[in-house]
Amino acid sequence: MGFLKSISEKLFKTKRGFTEKIHEESKKDEPITDEYLDFIEELLIEADFGVKTTMKVMEAIEEGIDKGDIKTRRDVELKIREVILDILKQVEKPLEIRKSKFVVMVVGINGSGKTTTIGKLANFQTDRGKKVLLVAADTFRAAAIDQLEVWAKRVSADIVKQQEGADPAAVAFDGVTSGVAKNYDVIFVDTAGRLHTQKNLMNEVIKIKKAITKAYSEAPHEVLLVLDATIGQNAINQAREFNRALGITGIVLTKMDGTAKGGIIVAISEEFKIPIRYIGIGEGMDDLKAFNARDFVESVFVP
């Protein structure tokens, strides 16, 4: 229960902005009216569940009412939890690194927490005795290279880097080639924080992916998209564009502790069915958690 409690405390904004309002209504010994159902629907939309997921939840509630399974407002809350859990269980697939020379390409826009996520994932691996290499293929900003180097030192990983302005695809190729030749267990390739709406920049990450495959035909084994949960529905657009360009195999949702609209994780899960590998719930090294659907739902709905 300590683990659940720690997540629950980190997700208090989501609870306050969404589930506590449902709790308050559940306590009322009042009938299920059209006005109440409208309230639930608006609450789901406001919490960034998106139209598609909201409609799925509302249809499940209405079907339960018609069948006589839902008689009270408490029953409505339990049905919401059930539908959310069913959606999230489909994407509960933590990243498994089962072989050596495992290449993870990490993408996402600036400010999403991408480089910090790489650092924390690298720490998971070095803590397990793995030999880890970080490849600084975000060459557009000197600060990005410096930040990755700081993380490399912090978590006892090695780094391949070049100067600012170097060709990102060439850096990725050299880094992966070196990492494979030197038998690194895990190779994380950082990429520039592309705005998904900038076609030329999206083309650049496509080029980086091709360079990784050229360096090692099996790679990348994982294309990991880091999304900022606080940007709400725009995260859906980012996921769509990156997935279209690269074929995303996993998602990390960061800053879940900073949003009252935690429904975005459900919306993304329902829309794309892409595995949610991790969620970020704070700045600490231990605040990147392997995603567990039941733990997440229970922590958010804890009274």
Side-chain angles (χ1 to χ4, degrees):
M1 194 60 196
F3 177 68
L4 274 179
K5 187 171 183 291
S6 69
I7 300 178
S8 183
E9 288 171 351
K10 293 284 188 177
L11 297 175
F12 76 94
K13 286 189 178 179
T14 294
K15 292 171 65 177
R16 186 176 62 197
F18 172 60
T19 50
E20 283 185 3
K21 294 178 182 177
I22 294 179
H23 281 317
E24 289 306 310
E25 289 297 321
S26 296
K27 293 174 186 174
K28 297 177 181 177
D29 187 20
E30 296 179 13
I32 298 172
T33 61
D34 287 343
E35 289 76 16
Y36 169 68
L37 293 176
D38 287 344
F39 164 78
I40 293 294
E41 184 173 332
E42 288 172 13
L43 197 58
L44 290 166
I45 292 290
E46 287 172 4
D48 272 333
F49 278 78
V51 173
K52 184 177 180 180
T53 309
T54 297
M55 291 302 101
K56 183 170 187 172
V57 173
M58 296 310 298
E59 285 168 9
I61 292 170
E62 287 163 11
E63 183 180 335
I65 292 170
D66 290 342
K67 288 182 176 179
D69 297 331
I70 294 177
K71 299 182 177 67
T72 67
R73 295 188 176 196
R74 173 63 177 163
D75 292 337
V76 171
E77 179 179 349
L78 292 174
K79 176 56 70 173
I80 293 171
R81 290 177 62 164
E82 178 188 312
V83 175
I84 291 172
L85 182 59
D86 285 346
I87 292 170
L88 294 180
K89 285 289 285 183
Q90 298 178 68
V91 297
E92 179 193 280
K93 296 174 184 175
L95 181 60
E96 290 186 14
I97 297 175
R98 293 182 172 178
K99 57 169 72 176
S100 62
K101 305 176 187 177
F102 192 95
V103 181
V104 182
M105 178 183 179
V106 188
V107 299
I109 69 165
N110 287 333
S112 63
K114 180 168 52 66
T115 306
T116 300
T117 296
I118 292 172
K120 291 178 180 180
L121 291 176
N123 185 63
F124 288 165
Q125 297 303 318
T126 56
D127 273 356
R128 288 162 176 74
K130 301 295 185 182
K131 186 179 175 186
V132 176
L133 180 66
L134 309 184
V135 180
D138 179 355
T139 60
F140 287 88
R141 297 180 304 126
I145 301 170
D146 293 343
Q147 186 185 5
L148 198 67
E149 190 164 26
V150 168
W151 272 107
K153 290 175 181 175
R154 184 178 177 186
V155 304
S156 302
D158 295 324
I159 187 169
V160 167
K161 62 172 186 170
Q162 291 185 25
Q163 73 278 8
E164 180 184 6
D167 177 21
V171 175
F173 178 84
D174 291 346
V176 172
T177 299
S178 174
V180 170
K182 295 177 181 177
N183 292 311
Y184 279 87
D185 294 303
V186 191
I187 303 163
F188 291 98
V189 181
D190 190 14
T191 61
R194 311 300 191 199
L195 285 172
H196 64 284
T197 52
Q198 295 181 318
K199 187 176 180 181
N200 60 323
L201 295 180
M202 288 299 287
N203 287 340
E204 189 67 54
V205 288
I206 294 172
K207 186 178 172 186
I208 290 171
K209 185 182 180 186
K210 288 178 179 176
I212 291 171
T213 305
K214 186 177 179 182
Y216 185 33
S217 60
E218 295 181 18
H221 302 94
E222 175 84 358
V223 181
L224 195 62
L225 173 62
V226 180
L227 294 171
D228 177 350
T230 65
I231 65 173
Q233 288 298 302
N234 196 36
I236 296 278
N237 298 329
Q238 288 182 21
R240 182 175 293 112
E241 293 302 320
F242 275 105
N243 191 42
R244 184 179 295 154
L246 299 168
I248 299 301
T249 57
I251 291 173
V252 178
L253 265 169
T254 62
K255 308 180 189 178
M256 286 296 296
D257 56 314
T259 179
K261 300 183 175 184
I264 190 61
I265 191 171
V266 188
I268 285 173
S269 300
E270 175 67 11
E271 182 74 24
F272 301 107
K273 309 293 194 295
I274 297 171
I276 303 290
R277 304 298 195 188
Y278 300 91
I279 58 171
I281 54 172
E283 295 298 319
M285 190 70 83
D286 295 329
D287 287 333
L288 187 68
K289 303 289 188 184
F291 180 63
N292 180 285
R294 188 170 297 279
D295 284 353
F296 178 82
V297 172
E298 288 186 12
S299 66
V300 169
F301 277 91
V302 168

